[in-house]
Structures are given as C-alpha cells and as structure tokens.
Amino acid sequence: MYQNRSEGQTSDEAMLVQKAIGHDTEAFGRLYDMHVDRVYRHIYYRVGNEADAEDLTQQVFLKAWQVIDRYKKTASPFIAWLMTISHNLVVDFYRTRKDRAYLEAEVLADGSASSPERAAEASFEQQRLRKAILQLRSDEQQVVILRFMEGFEFTEIASLLKKKKGNVRVILHRALVKLRNILEKERKQN
Amino acid sequence: MKKFEDILVQCIEDIKAGRSSIEDCLDRHPSMREQLEPLLRIALEIREAPDVKPSPAFKIKARVRLMEQIHGRQAVTKWPWSRYNNQTKTIPLRKRFSMVGVILAIVLTLSAVGGGTAYAAQGSLPGDVLYSVKLVTEQLRMMLPGNDVARAQRALSFAERRVGEMEALAEKGRPQYLGLAVGGYDDAVNMTLARIERAGDKGLATGNVTARVAEATTRHLSVLDTVYDMVPPEAKEAIAHARNVSETGYFHAMAALAKNNTVRAAEMNLAAMLGRLNRVRARVGDVEAVENALQQFEAMAEFGEEISRIAQEIGLNITKVEELVALATSKHLEELAEVWEMVPKQARPAIERAMANLLIRHQRRVQALEQWGVEAPQPPVIPGRIRERVEERIREQVEGIPGGTTPPTPGVPAGACHQYGLNATGEM
C-alpha cells in the first residue's frame, strides 16, 4: 500500500515542492492532489469518523501552506512532513476536547457505523489494536503509526521527530510494552 | 553487547523484510526470548492503515476552499489580477498614481506599436511574439470600470480564450507551450470564482454569471478531453491539470447556482453527467479514459445530492429536482448498461459501481417522492448478466466491503439488496 516513502521524492514532486516554497499556489495545488488521500487516511485512522477527518485534512494543507518556508529546513520527504502536521493537529483536536470518553466512543462507534467507518475496520483484532494504540502517549503513537502503518524508516522518523535514532527505538520499545499491557488488561477484564 | 531495543528493532526489520521468522529471531537471542516474543507478535500484528479514501466531492470542495484561503492570505501573489484587485483598496494614493503611470505607459506603448498590432495580437498563441501583448491587453481590460459581476464575466472570457489556445496548440503540434495556456486558464477560472464570491458578498445578483461559468466549464471539459487525446504523452499531465481546474470551477459555480436556482443547477448537472457518459462512449476501448470519465460522472452524481441538500437547507421545495433526477437516472442507467457491453473487461467494475450507486440513490429518491405523493419513474430493465454484477456491487456497498473507487454510500440499510429494484426474477 505504501509506495513512495523512503525512495524519496520523485523529481517532479521535488520540483513542485521547490515551487511551492517560492509561494507558487499552482504547485501547492498539485501537491494537494498528490497527497490528500494519504493524509486523509492517516487522520481518519486517528479520529475514526469522516466529518472530523475531512475537517482536519483541510486544516493540514492550510497549515502546510502557512509554514511551507520551514519545510526546506527538514530533510524528510514532503509526505512525512505533512504527516507530522497531521499528527500535531490530531493531538490538538483531542486536547481541545479533553475527554478521553470522546475518543473511546468514536473508536467503538466504528463497529456499528456504515460508510467508510465500516470499511475502515478490517477485523475485530485490528480494532482492538487501534483502540490500544490511541491510548499511547502522543510520541509513542506517532512512532508506531509512522513505522508500522505508514512504512517510514527509523531514520526518517528520527528526522521528523527531531530525535536520535536510538531514542526512537527506545520510544518504540516502550510503546510495544505498553500495548502489551493494555491488551492483556483488556483480555483479563473480558 | 547490544541493547534490548536495538535487538527488538533489528528483529522487527528482519521479519518484515522476510529475512527471518519470529522463531529464527528468538533462537538468535535465547536469553531474551520471553521478553522479545510478545513484543514481536504485537509489532507484527499492527498492519497498514485500511485504505479509506475521501470522497471525490470532498476533495474538490476542499481544494477550492484551500485555494481561496491561500489567495486570500497571500502577501505576494503570482496571480496578477488579484494583486491589482487588492491594491485598489489598500495602497496609498501616491502609489496609486504611480500605478496609473504604469497603465498609461502600457497604453502608450500599445499605441506606439499601433492598434493594428494589438488587434493582431488577439489571435496569437503562447510562444508567439505578440502573445505577451495579448495578455497585457487582457490585464488592462480587467482594470476597466465595472462591478464584480462584469469583471467575473471578463475573466471567464479569458478562460475561454485559454481553452481555445490549448486546442489550437494541440492542433498545430506545439505542445511545448501548453503549460502557459494551462497556467493562464487556472488563473482566469480562479479569478472568475473570486469575483463571483465577492459580488455575492456585496449582494449583487450572481445567478446568471454562475450559470454561465457552469455551462462554460462543462464545455471546457469536453474540449479538454479532445485536447488530451491529441497531445503527446509528456503534455497530458498539463491537460489533466486543466481538466481538474474545469471540474473545480464547475462544482464551485454549481454550488452557488444551487442556492439561486436549484432546478437549473440540477438540470445542468444532469446534462454534464450525460456529457461524461458521452465521453465514455467516445473512448469505449480506452480503459483509462473510461475510468476517468466515470470518476467525473460519479463526482457529479454525488454533487447532485449536494444540490438537493443545499436546496433543503435554505427551505426550497425539491420535489421538482428529485423528479428530474429520478427521470435522468433511468436514462443514465440505460446508457451505462449499453456501454458495459462495449468496454474492455477491466473497465466493467467501474461501470458496475457507478450503476450500483445510481440505483441506491434512485431507490431513496423514489421512496421520498412516494411520500410526497408523486408518482416515481420506473428504473429501466437491465439485462441479466449486468444485473448480477450490479447486485454484487450493491451487496459490497451494503456490507461495506472496501475496494470500490468510491466509498460506500452512507445510510444504506443492511441486507437490502433487492430493495434497490433488483430481484431474483430478473426484473428491475
């Protein structure tokens, strides 16, 4: 599913990015066309419903345009940079709600909802796992999602999170231990 | 000695790359077996996120909104017309005088080269010596007095010119200059939409101009299809972009028109949908062209629902609209069933999905019409072989099985395949 991540940007994309940094709106529109599906999918996984995913996807691209000057300072692929913006907006999204129950409700609601919600859930196990991932700390969630779901390399994740590769490994280890504990606890409760 | 997290990551990477199995890895690190195994199993259980896609209508609307916001906030824009528009409100008087100077200079220059040159320039194409004169005269025309509706009409006429230029360049075998015309087209369409929005904000009547934009962009789409077929592969991307611009302009104008004249918006949308089916028919052997046209058809069909929603939100009676759509749906289904027989096998699933979506919506519409006491039109009889495939697609929709080009239609009741007019007897 993941095709063009660590192979880097194609020359066309790199050219569009350069133009967009120079405030070329047409080039930015083309970048939107190229990446909107992946950004939406990433956000949808985190928020679990169409309306919020659409709203946040729009915000990601607007934010990206507003801070595009900062992109040239990072070495990561453009899509990875968009993912970081997506992550920050999702974190803010939940922070403003300050309500874990909201998160739980959204995740659980997926099983019974129609439309993309249903399509999004491949299996009950994946839903359980997803629910557990969403209970991790923000940086842990990001490492797990970027590595296992979006297919980024550790080097890229380290660059995105502005951490050393060793630190990313530690975060991943901690995240997996927490996931095991969450899933075990849930199993016992059931 | 390696740290535990390094070993964990190494194992995960090796297993994911197929270089080793969980057991191989545990055998390599027997002292860590107990700690490693559960973590590896969890890591490998996490799969790629499901392939959920946003709806085409959302993508188009979000793009329009994004571009509007970008143009609204941009300090230095590459959009020459909007730069002038903003300046008339904000720049100091002294600078305004200097701008008048610039305009005068251009006018004088044009006079110096002669009215004949300016006239001759009107027929020029990108890459011609006089093309820049043509663009300058257009910019001057944009600065002539007139309200936002008049300016929107002028900008639309420039968009028409750019499409004509693309056609002429393709015919003359000069695809290397298409980018210029496409860029100009993008600017002109955006300018038109921005002016219409501004006119609406000022309370000016925009019904006619939005209808003209919708008609024009539908026409552009059809011309651009022809251009796309004519140009060499390296130029196709530029034309595909121009088609996206047409679609964006179309949906934007239609959303505005739906508020002013819902019935007209619905009629035009249905005609545009038929236009897309004509494209399918015209390129029946070309899988990519068929799929693209069907994608546009689906986006327009979905937009038809949006038109009804807009009308309902502002309290309009939508019975007439629903009747129109129900009638047209029968025609569209007939067309699709016919082309299904003609297209290569790979293109058939896209047709089946389009038919399934139409039938699902049609059934909902028929129910609504019956509630309002209006006799609903019957759907056409679909031949058995196609019917079975469409039934399968409806079942996929109802059960939410991923894999379609469009997301399952919201609100589809479970286990209701024959509710959509499909039954075992073969009659619709």
Side-chain angles (χ1 to χ4, degrees), chain B residues 287-362:
Chain B
V287 176
E288 191 197 340
V290 167
E291 286 180 346
N292 279 341
L294 282 172
Q295 214 173 347
Q296 290 162 337
F297 174 85
E298 291 259 62
M300 286 168 174
E302 202 175 319
F303 196 74
E305 305 296 305
E306 183 82 10
I307 292 173
S308 298
R309 258 197 307 277
I310 291 170
Q312 268 179 318
E313 269 171 25
I314 53 177
L316 297 176
N317 182 350
I318 58 161
T319 316
K320 173 79 182 154
V321 171
E322 298 293 288
E323 258 184 300
L324 272 172
V325 178
L327 273 171
T329 301
S330 297
K331 171 82 183 148
H332 294 158
L333 282 166
E334 273 173 28
E335 288 277 327
L336 285 165
E338 268 181 52
V339 289
W340 187 91
E341 300 283 1
M342 302 180 210
V343 298
K345 276 185 180 165
Q346 307 96 291
R348 286 181 174 172
I351 296 180
E352 291 153 15
R353 280 191 290 271
M355 291 178 80
N357 283 331
L358 280 181
L359 279 164
I360 290 169
R361 292 194 187 107
H362 182 73

Coordinates of all heavy atoms in Angstrom, one line a residue, chain B residues 287-362:
Chain B
V287 N -9.4 2.0 -21.5 CA -9.8 1.8 -20.1 C -9.5 3.0 -19.2 O -10.4 3.4 -18.4 CB -9.0 0.6 -19.5 CG1 -9.3 0.4 -18.0 CG2 -9.3 -0.7 -20.3
E288 N -8.4 3.6 -19.4 CA -8.1 4.8 -18.5 C -9.1 5.9 -18.7 O -9.6 6.5 -17.8 CB -6.6 5.3 -18.8 CG -6.1 6.3 -17.8 CD -4.9 7.1 -18.3 OE1 -4.3 6.6 -19.3 OE2 -4.7 8.2 -17.8
A289 N -9.4 6.2 -20.0 CA -10.3 7.3 -20.3 C -11.7 7.0 -19.8 O -12.4 7.8 -19.2 CB -10.4 7.5 -21.8
V290 N -12.1 5.7 -19.9 CA -13.4 5.3 -19.4 C -13.5 5.5 -17.9 O -14.4 6.1 -17.3 CB -13.7 3.8 -19.8 CG1 -14.9 3.3 -19.0 CG2 -14.0 3.7 -21.3
E291 N -12.4 5.0 -17.2 CA -12.4 5.1 -15.7 C -12.4 6.6 -15.3 O -13.1 7.0 -14.3 CB -11.2 4.4 -15.2 CG -11.5 2.9 -15.2 CD -10.4 2.0 -14.7 OE1 -9.3 2.5 -14.5 OE2 -10.6 0.8 -14.5
N292 N -11.6 7.4 -16.0 CA -11.6 8.8 -15.6 C -12.9 9.5 -15.8 O -13.4 10.2 -14.9 CB -10.6 9.6 -16.5 CG -9.1 9.4 -16.0 OD1 -8.9 9.0 -14.8 ND2 -8.2 9.6 -16.8
A293 N -13.5 9.2 -16.9 CA -14.9 9.8 -17.2 C -15.9 9.4 -16.2 O -16.7 10.1 -15.7 CB -15.3 9.5 -18.6
L294 N -15.8 8.1 -15.8 CA -16.7 7.6 -14.8 C -16.5 8.2 -13.4 O -17.4 8.4 -12.7 CB -16.6 6.1 -14.7 CG -17.3 5.3 -15.9 CD1 -17.0 3.8 -15.8 CD2 -18.9 5.5 -15.8
Q295 N -15.2 8.4 -13.1 CA -14.9 9.1 -11.9 C -15.6 10.5 -11.8 O -16.1 10.9 -10.8 CB -13.4 9.2 -11.7 CG -13.0 9.0 -10.3 CD -11.5 9.0 -10.2 OE1 -10.8 8.8 -11.2 NE2 -10.9 9.2 -9.0
Q296 N -15.5 11.2 -12.9 CA -16.1 12.5 -13.0 C -17.6 12.4 -12.9 O -18.3 13.2 -12.3 CB -15.7 13.2 -14.3 CG -14.2 13.6 -14.3 CD -13.7 13.9 -15.7 OE1 -14.3 13.4 -16.7 NE2 -12.6 14.7 -15.8
F297 N -18.1 11.4 -13.6 CA -19.6 11.1 -13.6 C -20.0 10.9 -12.1 O -21.0 11.5 -11.7 CB -19.9 9.9 -14.4 CG -21.3 9.4 -14.4 CD1 -22.3 10.0 -15.2 CD2 -21.7 8.4 -13.5 CE1 -23.6 9.6 -15.2 CE2 -23.0 8.0 -13.5 CZ -24.0 8.6 -14.3
E298 N -19.3 10.1 -11.4 CA -19.6 9.8 -10.0 C -19.6 11.0 -9.1 O -20.4 11.2 -8.3 CB -18.7 8.7 -9.5 CG -18.8 7.4 -10.1 CD -19.6 6.4 -9.2 OE1 -20.8 6.7 -8.9 OE2 -19.1 5.4 -8.8
A299 N -18.5 11.8 -9.4 CA -18.4 13.0 -8.6 C -19.6 14.0 -8.8 O -20.2 14.6 -7.9 CB -17.1 13.8 -8.9
M300 N -20.0 14.0 -10.1 CA -21.2 14.9 -10.4 C -22.5 14.3 -9.8 O -23.3 15.0 -9.4 CB -21.3 15.0 -11.9 CG -20.3 15.9 -12.5 SD -20.2 15.8 -14.3 CE -19.0 17.0 -14.7
A301 N -22.6 13.0 -9.9 CA -23.8 12.3 -9.3 C -23.8 12.6 -7.8 O -24.9 13.0 -7.3 CB -23.7 10.8 -9.5
E302 N -22.7 12.5 -7.2 CA -22.7 12.8 -5.7 C -23.0 14.3 -5.5 O -23.7 14.7 -4.5 CB -21.3 12.5 -5.2 CG -21.3 12.3 -3.7 CD -19.9 11.8 -3.2 OE1 -19.3 11.0 -3.9 OE2 -19.5 12.3 -2.2
F303 N -22.5 15.1 -6.4 CA -22.8 16.5 -6.3 C -24.3 16.8 -6.5 O -24.8 17.8 -5.9 CB -22.0 17.3 -7.3 CG -21.9 18.8 -7.0 CD1 -21.1 19.2 -6.0 CD2 -22.7 19.7 -7.7 CE1 -21.1 20.6 -5.6 CE2 -22.7 21.0 -7.4 CZ -21.9 21.5 -6.3
G304 N -25.0 16.0 -7.2 CA -26.4 16.1 -7.4 C -27.1 16.0 -6.0 O -28.1 16.7 -5.7
E305 N -26.6 15.1 -5.2 CA -27.1 15.0 -3.8 C -26.9 16.3 -3.0 O -27.7 16.7 -2.2 CB -26.5 13.8 -3.1 CG -26.6 12.5 -3.8 CD -28.0 12.0 -4.0 OE1 -28.7 11.9 -2.9 OE2 -28.4 11.8 -5.1
E306 N -25.7 16.9 -3.3 CA -25.3 18.1 -2.6 C -26.3 19.2 -3.0 O -26.7 20.0 -2.1 CB -23.9 18.5 -3.0 CG -23.3 19.7 -2.4 CD -22.8 19.4 -1.0 OE1 -22.7 18.2 -0.6 OE2 -22.5 20.4 -0.3
I307 N -26.7 19.2 -4.2 CA -27.6 20.3 -4.7 C -29.0 20.2 -3.9 O -29.5 21.1 -3.5 CB -27.9 20.1 -6.3 CG1 -26.6 20.5 -7.0 CG2 -29.0 21.0 -6.7 CD1 -26.7 20.2 -8.5
S308 N -29.5 18.9 -3.8 CA -30.7 18.7 -3.1 C -30.5 19.2 -1.6 O -31.4 19.8 -1.0 CB -31.1 17.3 -3.1 OG -31.4 16.8 -4.4
R309 N -29.4 18.8 -1.0 CA -29.1 19.2 0.4 C -29.1 20.7 0.5 O -29.7 21.3 1.4 CB -27.8 18.7 0.8 CG -27.9 17.4 1.7 CD -26.7 17.1 2.5 NE -25.5 17.1 1.6 CZ -25.1 16.0 1.0 NH1 -25.8 14.9 1.0 NH2 -24.0 16.0 0.3
I310 N -28.4 21.4 -0.4 CA -28.3 22.9 -0.3 C -29.8 23.5 -0.4 O -30.1 24.3 0.4 CB -27.5 23.4 -1.5 CG1 -26.0 23.0 -1.3 CG2 -27.6 24.9 -1.6 CD1 -25.1 23.3 -2.5
A311 N -30.5 23.0 -1.4 CA -31.9 23.5 -1.5 C -32.7 23.2 -0.3 O -33.5 24.1 0.1 CB -32.5 22.8 -2.8
Q312 N -32.6 22.1 0.3 CA -33.4 21.8 1.5 C -33.0 22.7 2.7 O -33.8 23.2 3.4 CB -33.1 20.3 1.9 CG -34.2 19.4 1.3 CD -33.9 17.9 1.7 OE1 -32.8 17.5 1.7 NE2 -35.0 17.2 2.0
E313 N -31.7 22.9 2.8 CA -31.2 23.7 3.9 C -31.7 25.1 3.8 O -32.0 25.8 4.8 CB -29.6 23.8 3.8 CG -28.9 22.7 4.6 CD -27.4 22.7 4.3 OE1 -26.9 23.7 3.9 OE2 -26.9 21.6 4.5
I314 N -31.9 25.6 2.6 CA -32.5 27.0 2.5 C -34.0 27.0 2.3 O -34.6 28.0 2.0 CB -31.8 27.8 1.4 CG1 -31.8 27.2 0.1 CG2 -30.4 28.2 1.8 CD1 -31.2 28.0 -1.1
G315 N -34.6 25.8 2.6 CA -36.1 25.7 2.6 C -36.8 25.7 1.3 O -37.9 26.0 1.2
L316 N -36.1 25.3 0.2 CA -36.7 25.2 -1.1 C -37.5 23.9 -1.3 O -37.1 22.9 -0.7 CB -35.7 25.4 -2.2 CG -35.0 26.7 -2.3 CD1 -33.9 26.7 -3.4 CD2 -35.9 27.9 -2.5
N317 N -38.5 23.9 -2.1 CA -39.2 22.7 -2.4 C -38.4 21.9 -3.4 O -38.1 22.4 -4.5 CB -40.6 23.0 -3.0 CG -41.4 21.8 -3.3 OD1 -40.9 20.7 -3.2 ND2 -42.7 22.0 -3.5
I318 N -38.0 20.7 -3.1 CA -37.1 20.0 -4.0 C -37.8 18.9 -4.8 O -37.1 18.1 -5.4 CB -35.9 19.4 -3.2 CG1 -36.3 18.4 -2.1 CG2 -35.0 20.5 -2.7 CD1 -35.2 17.5 -1.7
T319 N -39.1 18.8 -4.7 CA -39.8 17.8 -5.4 C -39.5 17.7 -6.9 O -39.2 16.7 -7.5 CB -41.4 18.0 -5.3 OG1 -41.6 18.3 -3.9 CG2 -42.1 16.7 -5.7
K320 N -39.5 18.9 -7.5 CA -39.2 19.0 -9.0 C -37.8 18.5 -9.3 O -37.6 17.7 -10.2 CB -39.3 20.5 -9.4 CG -38.9 20.8 -10.8 CD -40.0 20.4 -11.8 CE -39.6 20.7 -13.2 NZ -40.2 19.9 -14.2
V321 N -36.9 18.9 -8.4 CA -35.5 18.4 -8.6 C -35.4 16.9 -8.5 O -34.8 16.3 -9.3 CB -34.6 19.1 -7.5 CG1 -33.2 18.5 -7.5 CG2 -34.5 20.6 -7.7
E322 N -36.0 16.4 -7.5 CA -36.0 14.9 -7.3 C -36.6 14.2 -8.4 O -36.1 13.1 -8.9 CB -36.7 14.5 -6.0 CG -36.0 15.1 -4.7 CD -34.6 14.6 -4.4 OE1 -34.5 13.4 -4.0 OE2 -33.7 15.3 -4.7
E323 N -37.7 14.7 -9.0 CA -38.3 14.1 -10.1 C -37.4 14.1 -11.3 O -37.2 13.1 -12.0 CB -39.6 15.0 -10.5 CG -40.9 14.3 -10.0 CD -42.0 15.2 -10.6 OE1 -42.1 16.4 -10.2 OE2 -42.8 14.6 -11.3
L324 N -36.8 15.3 -11.6 CA -35.8 15.4 -12.7 C -34.7 14.4 -12.6 O -34.4 13.7 -13.5 CB -35.2 16.8 -12.6 CG -35.8 17.9 -13.3 CD1 -35.1 19.2 -13.0 CD2 -35.8 17.7 -14.8
V325 N -34.1 14.3 -11.4 CA -33.0 13.4 -11.2 C -33.5 11.9 -11.3 O -32.8 11.1 -12.0 CB -32.4 13.6 -9.8 CG1 -31.2 12.6 -9.6 CG2 -31.9 15.0 -9.6
A326 N -34.6 11.6 -10.8 CA -35.1 10.2 -10.9 C -35.3 9.8 -12.4 O -34.9 8.7 -12.8 CB -36.4 10.1 -10.2
L327 N -35.8 10.8 -13.2 CA -36.0 10.5 -14.6 C -34.7 10.3 -15.3 O -34.5 9.4 -16.1 CB -36.7 11.7 -15.3 CG -38.3 11.7 -15.2 CD1 -38.8 13.0 -15.7 CD2 -38.8 10.5 -16.1
A328 N -33.8 11.2 -15.0 CA -32.5 11.2 -15.7 C -31.7 9.9 -15.3 O -30.9 9.3 -16.1 CB -31.6 12.4 -15.3
T329 N -31.9 9.5 -14.0 CA -31.2 8.3 -13.6 C -31.5 7.1 -14.5 O -30.6 6.3 -14.8 CB -31.5 8.0 -12.1 OG1 -31.2 9.1 -11.3 CG2 -30.8 6.8 -11.6
S330 N -32.8 7.0 -14.8 CA -33.2 5.9 -15.7 C -32.4 5.9 -17.0 O -31.9 4.9 -17.5 CB -34.7 5.9 -16.0 OG -35.4 5.8 -14.9
K331 N -32.3 7.1 -17.6 CA -31.5 7.3 -18.8 C -30.1 6.9 -18.6 O -29.5 6.2 -19.4 CB -31.7 8.8 -19.2 CG -30.9 9.2 -20.4 CD -31.5 8.8 -21.7 CE -30.6 9.2 -22.9 NZ -30.7 8.4 -24.0
H332 N -29.5 7.4 -17.5 CA -28.1 7.1 -17.2 C -27.8 5.6 -17.1 O -26.8 5.1 -17.6 CB -27.6 7.9 -16.0 CG -27.6 9.4 -16.1 ND1 -27.7 10.2 -15.0 CD2 -27.6 10.2 -17.2 CE1 -27.7 11.5 -15.5 NE2 -27.6 11.5 -16.8
L333 N -28.8 5.0 -16.4 CA -28.6 3.5 -16.2 C -28.6 2.8 -17.6 O -27.9 1.9 -17.8 CB -29.7 3.0 -15.3 CG -29.5 3.2 -13.8 CD1 -30.8 3.0 -13.0 CD2 -28.4 2.4 -13.2
E334 N -29.6 3.2 -18.4 CA -29.6 2.6 -19.8 C -28.3 2.8 -20.5 O -27.8 1.8 -21.1 CB -30.7 3.3 -20.6 CG -32.1 2.6 -20.4 CD -33.2 3.4 -21.1 OE1 -32.9 4.1 -22.1 OE2 -34.3 3.4 -20.6
E335 N -27.8 4.0 -20.4 CA -26.5 4.3 -21.1 C -25.4 3.4 -20.6 O -24.6 2.9 -21.3 CB -26.1 5.8 -20.9 CG -27.0 6.8 -21.6 CD -26.5 7.0 -23.0 OE1 -25.3 6.9 -23.3 OE2 -27.3 7.2 -23.9
L336 N -25.4 3.4 -19.3 CA -24.3 2.6 -18.6 C -24.4 1.1 -19.0 O -23.3 0.5 -19.3 CB -24.3 2.8 -17.1 CG -23.8 4.1 -16.6 CD1 -24.2 4.4 -15.2 CD2 -22.3 4.2 -16.8
A337 N -25.6 0.6 -19.0 CA -25.8 -0.8 -19.4 C -25.3 -1.1 -20.8 O -24.7 -2.1 -21.1 CB -27.2 -1.2 -19.2
E338 N -25.6 -0.1 -21.7 CA -25.1 -0.2 -23.1 C -23.6 -0.2 -23.2 O -23.0 -1.1 -23.8 CB -25.7 0.9 -23.9 CG -27.0 0.6 -24.5 CD -27.5 1.7 -25.4 OE1 -26.8 2.2 -26.2 OE2 -28.7 2.1 -25.1
V339 N -23.0 0.7 -22.5 CA -21.5 0.8 -22.7 C -20.8 -0.3 -21.9 O -19.7 -0.7 -22.3 CB -20.9 2.2 -22.2 CG1 -21.3 3.3 -23.1 CG2 -21.3 2.5 -20.8
W340 N -21.5 -0.9 -20.9 CA -20.9 -2.0 -20.2 C -20.5 -3.2 -21.2 O -19.5 -3.8 -21.1 CB -21.9 -2.6 -19.2 CG -21.3 -3.6 -18.3 CD1 -20.7 -3.5 -17.1 CD2 -21.4 -5.1 -18.5 NE1 -20.3 -4.7 -16.5 CE2 -20.7 -5.7 -17.4 CE3 -21.9 -5.9 -19.5 CZ2 -20.6 -7.1 -17.2 CZ3 -21.7 -7.3 -19.4 CH2 -21.1 -7.8 -18.3
E341 N -21.4 -3.3 -22.2 CA -21.2 -4.4 -23.2 C -20.1 -4.0 -24.1 O -19.5 -4.9 -24.7 CB -22.5 -4.5 -24.1 CG -23.8 -4.9 -23.3 CD -23.8 -6.4 -22.9 OE1 -22.8 -7.1 -23.2 OE2 -24.8 -6.8 -22.3
M342 N -19.8 -2.7 -24.3 CA -18.8 -2.3 -25.3 C -17.3 -2.2 -24.7 O -16.4 -2.4 -25.5 CB -19.1 -1.0 -25.8 CG -20.5 -0.9 -26.5 SD -20.7 0.8 -27.0 CE -22.4 1.0 -26.9
V343 N -17.2 -1.9 -23.4 CA -15.9 -1.6 -22.9 C -15.1 -2.9 -22.6 O -15.6 -4.0 -22.5 CB -16.0 -0.8 -21.5 CG1 -16.6 0.5 -21.8 CG2 -16.7 -1.6 -20.5
P344 N -13.7 -2.8 -22.5 CA -12.9 -3.9 -22.2 C -13.3 -4.4 -20.7 O -13.8 -3.6 -19.9 CB -11.5 -3.4 -22.2 CG -11.5 -2.1 -22.9 CD -12.9 -1.6 -22.8
K345 N -13.0 -5.7 -20.4 CA -13.4 -6.2 -19.1 C -12.9 -5.4 -17.9 O -13.6 -5.3 -16.9 CB -12.9 -7.7 -19.0 CG -13.9 -8.6 -19.7 CD -13.4 -10.1 -19.5 CE -14.4 -11.0 -20.2 NZ -13.9 -12.3 -20.3
Q346 N -11.7 -4.9 -18.1 CA -11.1 -4.2 -16.9 C -11.9 -3.0 -16.5 O -11.8 -2.5 -15.4 CB -9.6 -3.8 -17.2 CG -8.7 -4.8 -17.7 CD -8.6 -4.8 -19.2 OE1 -9.6 -5.2 -19.9 NE2 -7.5 -4.4 -19.8
A347 N -12.6 -2.4 -17.5 CA -13.3 -1.2 -17.2 C -14.7 -1.5 -16.6 O -15.4 -0.5 -16.2 CB -13.4 -0.3 -18.5
R348 N -15.1 -2.7 -16.7 CA -16.5 -3.0 -16.3 C -16.8 -2.8 -14.8 O -17.9 -2.3 -14.5 CB -16.9 -4.5 -16.7 CG -17.1 -4.6 -18.2 CD -17.5 -6.0 -18.6 NE -17.8 -6.0 -20.0 CZ -18.0 -7.1 -20.7 NH1 -18.0 -8.2 -20.1 NH2 -18.3 -7.0 -22.0
P349 N -15.9 -3.1 -13.9 CA -16.2 -2.9 -12.5 C -16.5 -1.4 -12.2 O -17.4 -1.2 -11.4 CB -14.9 -3.3 -11.7 CG -14.3 -4.3 -12.6 CD -14.6 -3.9 -14.0
A350 N -15.9 -0.5 -12.8 CA -16.1 0.9 -12.6 C -17.6 1.2 -13.0 O -18.3 2.0 -12.3 CB -15.1 1.8 -13.3
I351 N -18.0 0.7 -14.1 CA -19.4 0.9 -14.6 C -20.4 0.3 -13.6 O -21.4 0.9 -13.3 CB -19.6 0.3 -16.0 CG1 -18.7 1.1 -17.0 CG2 -21.0 0.4 -16.5 CD1 -18.8 0.6 -18.4
E352 N -20.0 -0.9 -13.2 CA -21.0 -1.6 -12.2 C -21.1 -0.8 -11.0 O -22.2 -0.7 -10.4 CB -20.4 -3.0 -11.9 CG -20.5 -3.9 -13.1 CD -19.4 -5.0 -13.0 OE1 -18.8 -5.2 -12.0 OE2 -19.2 -5.7 -14.1
R353 N -20.0 -0.3 -10.5 CA -20.1 0.5 -9.2 C -20.9 1.8 -9.5 O -21.7 2.2 -8.6 CB -18.7 0.9 -8.7 CG -18.0 -0.2 -8.0 CD -16.7 0.3 -7.3 NE -15.7 0.6 -8.3 CZ -14.8 -0.3 -8.7 NH1 -14.8 -1.5 -8.3 NH2 -13.8 0.1 -9.5
A354 N -20.7 2.4 -10.6 CA -21.5 3.6 -10.9 C -23.0 3.3 -11.0 O -23.8 4.0 -10.4 CB -21.0 4.2 -12.2
M355 N -23.3 2.1 -11.6 CA -24.7 1.7 -11.6 C -25.3 1.4 -10.2 O -26.4 1.8 -9.9 CB -24.9 0.5 -12.5 CG -24.6 0.8 -14.0 SD -24.7 -0.6 -15.1 CE -26.5 -0.8 -15.3
A356 N -24.4 0.7 -9.4 CA -24.9 0.4 -8.1 C -25.2 1.7 -7.3 O -26.2 1.8 -6.6 CB -23.8 -0.4 -7.4
N357 N -24.3 2.6 -7.4 CA -24.5 3.9 -6.7 C -25.8 4.6 -7.1 O -26.5 5.2 -6.4 CB -23.3 4.8 -6.8 CG -22.1 4.4 -5.9 OD1 -22.4 3.8 -4.9 ND2 -20.9 4.7 -6.3
L358 N -26.0 4.6 -8.5 CA -27.2 5.2 -9.0 C -28.4 4.6 -8.5 O -29.4 5.2 -8.1 CB -27.2 5.2 -10.6 CG -26.3 6.1 -11.3 CD1 -26.5 5.9 -12.8 CD2 -26.7 7.6 -11.0
L359 N -28.4 3.2 -8.5 CA -29.6 2.5 -8.0 C -29.9 2.8 -6.6 O -31.1 2.9 -6.2 CB -29.4 1.0 -8.3 CG -29.7 0.6 -9.8 CD1 -29.2 -0.8 -10.0 CD2 -31.2 0.6 -10.0
I360 N -28.9 2.8 -5.8 CA -29.1 3.0 -4.4 C -29.7 4.4 -4.1 O -30.7 4.5 -3.4 CB -27.7 2.9 -3.6 CG1 -27.3 1.4 -3.6 CG2 -27.9 3.4 -2.2 CD1 -25.8 1.2 -3.1
R361 N -29.1 5.4 -4.8 CA -29.7 6.7 -4.7 C -31.1 6.8 -5.2 O -32.0 7.5 -4.7 CB -28.8 7.7 -5.4 CG -27.5 7.9 -4.7 CD -26.8 9.1 -5.3 NE -25.4 9.2 -4.8 CZ -24.3 9.0 -5.5 NH1 -24.4 8.6 -6.8 NH2 -23.1 9.0 -5.0
H362 N -31.3 6.1 -6.4 CA -32.6 6.2 -7.0 C -33.7 5.6 -6.1 O -34.8 6.2 -6.0 CB -32.5 5.3 -8.3 CG -33.8 5.4 -9.1 ND1 -34.2 6.5 -9.8 CD2 -34.8 4.4 -9.3 CE1 -35.4 6.2 -10.4 NE2 -35.8 5.0 -10.1

